Amino acid sequence: MLKFIDEKKITYLALAEAHYSHKVNGEKSLQGVIYTNSDVLKSIDRGWSVELENEKYFITYATPVDNGENITVEFDAIHEFFFDFGKSSIYEELSGDHSLAEYLNFIFNGSGYSYTLDAQADSFEKSNFGMKNRLSLFNDVINTTNTEFEIVGKNVRITDQLGEDLSSIVKKGFNMQELGLEHNIAGFITYAKGFGAFNDENDESKGRLVAEYKSPFADVYGILEGDPLVDEKCGDKSELESRLEALVCNSYTISVSLTLEDLQKAGYEYALPKPGDYILAINENLGFSSKIRIISVDQEYDVHQNIYDYKVTCSSESLIEEQQKADVAMANTWREIQNGNKRIPNDWLTDAVNVATEALLNAQTEIKFTKTGILAIDKKNANNLVLFNSAGIGISSNGGKTFENAITAKGINASVIKTGTLEASLLKLSWNTISNSIQFTGDAIETYENGSKTLGINGAGMYVYYPNKSEPLFSLTRAGSQNNPFGILGIRKGQPFDISRKTSKGETEQTYSSMLSFDPDANTINVNSQLILNQMRPDKNYKGINFHGMTLSGNAGIALVNEDGNAGIWFGDNGDMAHLINGIWKSVN
């Protein structure tokens, strides 16, 4: 639902579809159809506004449509900045040579808006600048300085050029539905002439600065003249020639229209491009692959304000610029070959060399040098690429939207590592949360739960820890002597240790009953249920050892005897041990 606000600041909600348009020149506008809320359908008029994505748009056009059974209203709206500036005038004038900031202060003072200047521009002269609405004066300054702007709330940011070079790829069959090309032929020219400052401003008969530019395409298409460029303030010939070259080179461009898939709906970490951004568009069916700049974005919202269609209009580099780049590349062929940056043409090679060269180049990788770094792109699948720059190395399988595998100054991030030998001073494996982990240190393996150590294993033995305690609750270590090969079971003083069994009641309720408990303070071992120590060799006729609720303690040692009393074993407190065989004790030592 959209929020509509009347001239009295009363808010109404109504079901409405909306078409949102955002252009690189800063324009933001809405068109839509309202379906519900009779208060809105019958009363929408002057002074009404509508909100979308936390931005306000003033209604500039509204017309009811009788559909027979119901009434709908079609409307147009513009962003509040354009409405406010278009309805606010300046009743004074500014003349002479002033900086860009001075002109902006003149326009913005008392407007209720602020500006941020991120552009560099020389001072320029305006005569009788003023006595118009603020929007007209603002557009005049933007056009004069060849800058761009964007609106963020009540602030207007002025910059040399909006957007970023995303190094993003839009490709038909992946995140692009359609790509259309429009060749702008009507304005194509091959020649332009310019006139600058007079040699003597008091005597025009002494002539003036004159420059011209002729495109290489003039030899193909003839001299096609453009309108003369006249600027009496320009006294620099190189500057005038540069402007003439830009005028000719930009006279023939290709406009590209794209329909993109909003991959964010599928949970894909991918930000939709904005006006001003540069992207790489690929449509293999049309043989089109070029870096293009987005100049406008159109989004379609349903009545629930979900985006169901996303179209962008782009402008590619001019064909003249592309041809000039090709000419320069041809002129530098030998130098590129000498530097190892270009292959020798096939007709220079023998058959044997061709065969060997083709075998080496089966990798099918394309290298590109961009502002963000060096891109190595898989020619068979442009979504697979590697980025090299000063920050590190990133590997992407989605055209550079995310780099799931990367090497940076902060470390290595990888989804899978395959290695034969891994050497590290600390290896930490985490799951669920960072606080649950297994750590492999230089001499031990340790497990942690909720940040607290629970188990440690090293060359001396195994240690079990109680949560948030530094001393082991339970330890099993070796004696450390060849004369005493038995292990030592250690239990923390003041902390009894139980060996329990789990019993179930029904399908859900589970209980634990103690079988064997150790009390280090009382120096006792308690057997709370029948404990059977079975024979280790079934081929021998030993019955095992049975205890029924017995307590074994003492300083001299412990004897374990079978039910018949003719077999057993005795452990002394000084490390001695004896066997009971056929009713006779025999020392083992």
Side-chain angles (χ1 to χ4, degrees), residues 77-89:
I78 60 173
H79 193 276
E80 61 177 335
F81 167 78
F82 300 99
F83 182 86
D84 292 340
F85 262 47
K87 300 299 181 181
S88 176
S89 297

mmCIF file with all atom_site columns, all heavy atoms in Angstrom, residues 77-89:
data_model
loop_
_atom_site.group_PDB
_atom_site.id
_atom_site.type_symbol
_atom_site.label_atom_id
_atom_site.label_alt_id
_atom_site.label_comp_id
_atom_site.label_asym_id
_atom_site.label_entity_id
_atom_site.label_seq_id
_atom_site.pdbx_PDB_ins_code
_atom_site.Cartn_x
_atom_site.Cartn_y
_atom_site.Cartn_z
_atom_site.occupancy
_atom_site.B_iso_or_equiv
_atom_site.pdbx_formal_charge
_atom_site.auth_seq_id
_atom_site.auth_comp_id
_atom_site.auth_asym_id
_atom_site.auth_atom_id
_atom_site.pdbx_PDB_model_num
ATOM 1   N N   . ALA A 1 77 ? 3.802  12.106 -10.270 1.00 0.00 ? 77 ALA A N   1
ATOM 2   C CA  . ALA A 1 77 ? 4.369  12.809 -9.119  1.00 0.00 ? 77 ALA A CA  1
ATOM 3   C C   . ALA A 1 77 ? 5.858  12.998 -9.331  1.00 0.00 ? 77 ALA A C   1
ATOM 4   O O   . ALA A 1 77 ? 6.514  12.184 -9.988  1.00 0.00 ? 77 ALA A O   1
ATOM 5   C CB  . ALA A 1 77 ? 4.108  12.033 -7.824  1.00 0.00 ? 77 ALA A CB  1
ATOM 6   N N   . ILE A 1 78 ? 6.413  14.095 -8.770  1.00 0.00 ? 78 ILE A N   1
ATOM 7   C CA  . ILE A 1 78 ? 7.843  14.361 -8.855  1.00 0.00 ? 78 ILE A CA  1
ATOM 8   C C   . ILE A 1 78 ? 8.408  14.462 -7.447  1.00 0.00 ? 78 ILE A C   1
ATOM 9   O O   . ILE A 1 78 ? 7.694  14.775 -6.491  1.00 0.00 ? 78 ILE A O   1
ATOM 10  C CB  . ILE A 1 78 ? 8.148  15.655 -9.644  1.00 0.00 ? 78 ILE A CB  1
ATOM 11  C CG1 . ILE A 1 78 ? 7.495  16.867 -8.979  1.00 0.00 ? 78 ILE A CG1 1
ATOM 12  C CG2 . ILE A 1 78 ? 7.725  15.526 -11.081 1.00 0.00 ? 78 ILE A CG2 1
ATOM 13  C CD1 . ILE A 1 78 ? 7.893  18.185 -9.602  1.00 0.00 ? 78 ILE A CD1 1
ATOM 14  N N   . HIS A 1 79 ? 9.704  14.181 -7.326  1.00 0.00 ? 79 HIS A N   1
ATOM 15  C CA  . HIS A 1 79 ? 10.362 14.233 -6.024  1.00 0.00 ? 79 HIS A CA  1
ATOM 16  C C   . HIS A 1 79 ? 10.215 15.630 -5.413  1.00 0.00 ? 79 HIS A C   1
ATOM 17  O O   . HIS A 1 79 ? 10.223 16.649 -6.126  1.00 0.00 ? 79 HIS A O   1
ATOM 18  C CB  . HIS A 1 79 ? 11.839 13.886 -6.181  1.00 0.00 ? 79 HIS A CB  1
ATOM 19  C CG  . HIS A 1 79 ? 12.540 13.620 -4.897  1.00 0.00 ? 79 HIS A CG  1
ATOM 20  N ND1 . HIS A 1 79 ? 13.064 14.631 -4.120  1.00 0.00 ? 79 HIS A ND1 1
ATOM 21  C CD2 . HIS A 1 79 ? 12.800 12.467 -4.235  1.00 0.00 ? 79 HIS A CD2 1
ATOM 22  C CE1 . HIS A 1 79 ? 13.627 14.114 -3.048  1.00 0.00 ? 79 HIS A CE1 1
ATOM 23  N NE2 . HIS A 1 79 ? 13.481 12.797 -3.084  1.00 0.00 ? 79 HIS A NE2 1
ATOM 24  N N   . GLU A 1 80 ? 10.104 15.685 -4.103  1.00 0.00 ? 80 GLU A N   1
ATOM 25  C CA  . GLU A 1 80 ? 9.840  16.950 -3.415  1.00 0.00 ? 80 GLU A CA  1
ATOM 26  C C   . GLU A 1 80 ? 10.900 18.008 -3.696  1.00 0.00 ? 80 GLU A C   1
ATOM 27  O O   . GLU A 1 80 ? 10.595 19.206 -3.684  1.00 0.00 ? 80 GLU A O   1
ATOM 28  C CB  . GLU A 1 80 ? 9.709  16.729 -1.909  1.00 0.00 ? 80 GLU A CB  1
ATOM 29  C CG  . GLU A 1 80 ? 10.940 16.165 -1.237  1.00 0.00 ? 80 GLU A CG  1
ATOM 30  C CD  . GLU A 1 80 ? 10.774 16.024 0.264   1.00 0.00 ? 80 GLU A CD  1
ATOM 31  O OE1 . GLU A 1 80 ? 9.950  16.755 0.841   1.00 0.00 ? 80 GLU A OE1 1
ATOM 32  O OE2 . GLU A 1 80 ? 11.479 15.193 0.864   1.00 0.00 ? 80 GLU A OE2 1
ATOM 33  N N   . PHE A 1 81 ? 12.145 17.606 -3.953  1.00 0.00 ? 81 PHE A N   1
ATOM 34  C CA  . PHE A 1 81 ? 13.180 18.605 -4.241  1.00 0.00 ? 81 PHE A CA  1
ATOM 35  C C   . PHE A 1 81 ? 12.825 19.404 -5.479  1.00 0.00 ? 81 PHE A C   1
ATOM 36  O O   . PHE A 1 81 ? 12.911 20.642 -5.486  1.00 0.00 ? 81 PHE A O   1
ATOM 37  C CB  . PHE A 1 81 ? 14.537 17.921 -4.431  1.00 0.00 ? 81 PHE A CB  1
ATOM 38  C CG  . PHE A 1 81 ? 15.586 18.817 -5.027  1.00 0.00 ? 81 PHE A CG  1
ATOM 39  C CD1 . PHE A 1 81 ? 16.231 19.760 -4.241  1.00 0.00 ? 81 PHE A CD1 1
ATOM 40  C CD2 . PHE A 1 81 ? 15.919 18.734 -6.374  1.00 0.00 ? 81 PHE A CD2 1
ATOM 41  C CE1 . PHE A 1 81 ? 17.196 20.605 -4.790  1.00 0.00 ? 81 PHE A CE1 1
ATOM 42  C CE2 . PHE A 1 81 ? 16.880 19.563 -6.928  1.00 0.00 ? 81 PHE A CE2 1
ATOM 43  C CZ  . PHE A 1 81 ? 17.516 20.501 -6.136  1.00 0.00 ? 81 PHE A CZ  1
ATOM 44  N N   . PHE A 1 82 ? 12.420 18.719 -6.563  1.00 0.00 ? 82 PHE A N   1
ATOM 45  C CA  . PHE A 1 82 ? 12.088 19.412 -7.806  1.00 0.00 ? 82 PHE A CA  1
ATOM 46  C C   . PHE A 1 82 ? 10.824 20.245 -7.638  1.00 0.00 ? 82 PHE A C   1
ATOM 47  O O   . PHE A 1 82 ? 10.707 21.338 -8.211  1.00 0.00 ? 82 PHE A O   1
ATOM 48  C CB  . PHE A 1 82 ? 11.920 18.392 -8.934  1.00 0.00 ? 82 PHE A CB  1
ATOM 49  C CG  . PHE A 1 82 ? 13.158 17.584 -9.194  1.00 0.00 ? 82 PHE A CG  1
ATOM 50  C CD1 . PHE A 1 82 ? 13.293 16.302 -8.667  1.00 0.00 ? 82 PHE A CD1 1
ATOM 51  C CD2 . PHE A 1 82 ? 14.198 18.094 -9.938  1.00 0.00 ? 82 PHE A CD2 1
ATOM 52  C CE1 . PHE A 1 82 ? 14.437 15.564 -8.890  1.00 0.00 ? 82 PHE A CE1 1
ATOM 53  C CE2 . PHE A 1 82 ? 15.353 17.354 -10.161 1.00 0.00 ? 82 PHE A CE2 1
ATOM 54  C CZ  . PHE A 1 82 ? 15.467 16.086 -9.643  1.00 0.00 ? 82 PHE A CZ  1
ATOM 55  N N   . PHE A 1 83 ? 9.888  19.742 -6.854  1.00 0.00 ? 83 PHE A N   1
ATOM 56  C CA  . PHE A 1 83 ? 8.660  20.500 -6.611  1.00 0.00 ? 83 PHE A CA  1
ATOM 57  C C   . PHE A 1 83 ? 8.972  21.766 -5.806  1.00 0.00 ? 83 PHE A C   1
ATOM 58  O O   . PHE A 1 83 ? 8.555  22.873 -6.176  1.00 0.00 ? 83 PHE A O   1
ATOM 59  C CB  . PHE A 1 83 ? 7.644  19.632 -5.870  1.00 0.00 ? 83 PHE A CB  1
ATOM 60  C CG  . PHE A 1 83 ? 6.333  20.309 -5.626  1.00 0.00 ? 83 PHE A CG  1
ATOM 61  C CD1 . PHE A 1 83 ? 5.332  20.283 -6.594  1.00 0.00 ? 83 PHE A CD1 1
ATOM 62  C CD2 . PHE A 1 83 ? 6.079  20.980 -4.439  1.00 0.00 ? 83 PHE A CD2 1
ATOM 63  C CE1 . PHE A 1 83 ? 4.109  20.910 -6.375  1.00 0.00 ? 83 PHE A CE1 1
ATOM 64  C CE2 . PHE A 1 83 ? 4.865  21.610 -4.206  1.00 0.00 ? 83 PHE A CE2 1
ATOM 65  C CZ  . PHE A 1 83 ? 3.880  21.578 -5.180  1.00 0.00 ? 83 PHE A CZ  1
ATOM 66  N N   . ASP A 1 84 ? 9.719  21.606 -4.707  1.00 0.00 ? 84 ASP A N   1
ATOM 67  C CA  . ASP A 1 84 ? 10.019 22.748 -3.838  1.00 0.00 ? 84 ASP A CA  1
ATOM 68  C C   . ASP A 1 84 ? 10.865 23.792 -4.562  1.00 0.00 ? 84 ASP A C   1
ATOM 69  O O   . ASP A 1 84 ? 10.605 24.992 -4.472  1.00 0.00 ? 84 ASP A O   1
ATOM 70  C CB  . ASP A 1 84 ? 10.750 22.268 -2.578  1.00 0.00 ? 84 ASP A CB  1
ATOM 71  C CG  . ASP A 1 84 ? 9.857  21.446 -1.673  1.00 0.00 ? 84 ASP A CG  1
ATOM 72  O OD1 . ASP A 1 84 ? 8.622  21.543 -1.800  1.00 0.00 ? 84 ASP A OD1 1
ATOM 73  O OD2 . ASP A 1 84 ? 10.396 20.691 -0.836  1.00 0.00 ? 84 ASP A OD2 1
ATOM 74  N N   . PHE A 1 85 ? 11.897 23.349 -5.286  1.00 0.00 ? 85 PHE A N   1
ATOM 75  C CA  . PHE A 1 85 ? 12.749 24.295 -5.998  1.00 0.00 ? 85 PHE A CA  1
ATOM 76  C C   . PHE A 1 85 ? 12.027 24.932 -7.177  1.00 0.00 ? 85 PHE A C   1
ATOM 77  O O   . PHE A 1 85 ? 12.292 26.087 -7.528  1.00 0.00 ? 85 PHE A O   1
ATOM 78  C CB  . PHE A 1 85 ? 14.032 23.594 -6.480  1.00 0.00 ? 85 PHE A CB  1
ATOM 79  C CG  . PHE A 1 85 ? 15.211 23.809 -5.576  1.00 0.00 ? 85 PHE A CG  1
ATOM 80  C CD1 . PHE A 1 85 ? 15.069 23.658 -4.202  1.00 0.00 ? 85 PHE A CD1 1
ATOM 81  C CD2 . PHE A 1 85 ? 16.449 24.163 -6.073  1.00 0.00 ? 85 PHE A CD2 1
ATOM 82  C CE1 . PHE A 1 85 ? 16.141 23.858 -3.346  1.00 0.00 ? 85 PHE A CE1 1
ATOM 83  C CE2 . PHE A 1 85 ? 17.534 24.375 -5.227  1.00 0.00 ? 85 PHE A CE2 1
ATOM 84  C CZ  . PHE A 1 85 ? 17.380 24.227 -3.858  1.00 0.00 ? 85 PHE A CZ  1
ATOM 85  N N   . GLY A 1 86 ? 11.117 24.172 -7.800  1.00 0.00 ? 86 GLY A N   1
ATOM 86  C CA  . GLY A 1 86 ? 10.368 24.732 -8.924  1.00 0.00 ? 86 GLY A CA  1
ATOM 87  C C   . GLY A 1 86 ? 9.323  25.742 -8.491  1.00 0.00 ? 86 GLY A C   1
ATOM 88  O O   . GLY A 1 86 ? 8.875  26.568 -9.300  1.00 0.00 ? 86 GLY A O   1
ATOM 89  N N   . LYS A 1 87 ? 8.925  25.680 -7.218  1.00 0.00 ? 87 LYS A N   1
ATOM 90  C CA  . LYS A 1 87 ? 7.903  26.589 -6.695  1.00 0.00 ? 87 LYS A CA  1
ATOM 91  C C   . LYS A 1 87 ? 8.501  27.653 -5.767  1.00 0.00 ? 87 LYS A C   1
ATOM 92  O O   . LYS A 1 87 ? 7.781  28.282 -4.992  1.00 0.00 ? 87 LYS A O   1
ATOM 93  C CB  . LYS A 1 87 ? 6.846  25.800 -5.937  1.00 0.00 ? 87 LYS A CB  1
ATOM 94  C CG  . LYS A 1 87 ? 6.115  24.756 -6.774  1.00 0.00 ? 87 LYS A CG  1
ATOM 95  C CD  . LYS A 1 87 ? 5.362  25.386 -7.929  1.00 0.00 ? 87 LYS A CD  1
ATOM 96  C CE  . LYS A 1 87 ? 4.625  24.324 -8.745  1.00 0.00 ? 87 LYS A CE  1
ATOM 97  N NZ  . LYS A 1 87 ? 3.898  24.918 -9.902  1.00 0.00 ? 87 LYS A NZ  1
ATOM 98  N N   . SER A 1 88 ? 9.805  27.852 -5.839  1.00 0.00 ? 88 SER A N   1
ATOM 99  C CA  . SER A 1 88 ? 10.479 28.860 -5.021  1.00 0.00 ? 88 SER A CA  1
ATOM 100 C C   . SER A 1 88 ? 11.385 29.695 -5.921  1.00 0.00 ? 88 SER A C   1
ATOM 101 O O   . SER A 1 88 ? 12.221 29.144 -6.649  1.00 0.00 ? 88 SER A O   1
ATOM 102 C CB  . SER A 1 88 ? 11.312 28.184 -3.920  1.00 0.00 ? 88 SER A CB  1
ATOM 103 O OG  . SER A 1 88 ? 12.047 29.130 -3.186  1.00 0.00 ? 88 SER A OG  1
ATOM 104 N N   . SER A 1 89 ? 11.219 31.006 -5.885  1.00 0.00 ? 89 SER A N   1
ATOM 105 C CA  . SER A 1 89 ? 11.957 31.904 -6.777  1.00 0.00 ? 89 SER A CA  1
ATOM 106 C C   . SER A 1 89 ? 12.927 32.778 -5.999  1.00 0.00 ? 89 SER A C   1
ATOM 107 O O   . SER A 1 89 ? 12.780 32.997 -4.795  1.00 0.00 ? 89 SER A O   1
ATOM 108 C CB  . SER A 1 89 ? 10.996 32.792 -7.573  1.00 0.00 ? 89 SER A CB  1
ATOM 109 O OG  . SER A 1 89 ? 10.173 32.014 -8.417  1.00 0.00 ? 89 SER A OG  1
#
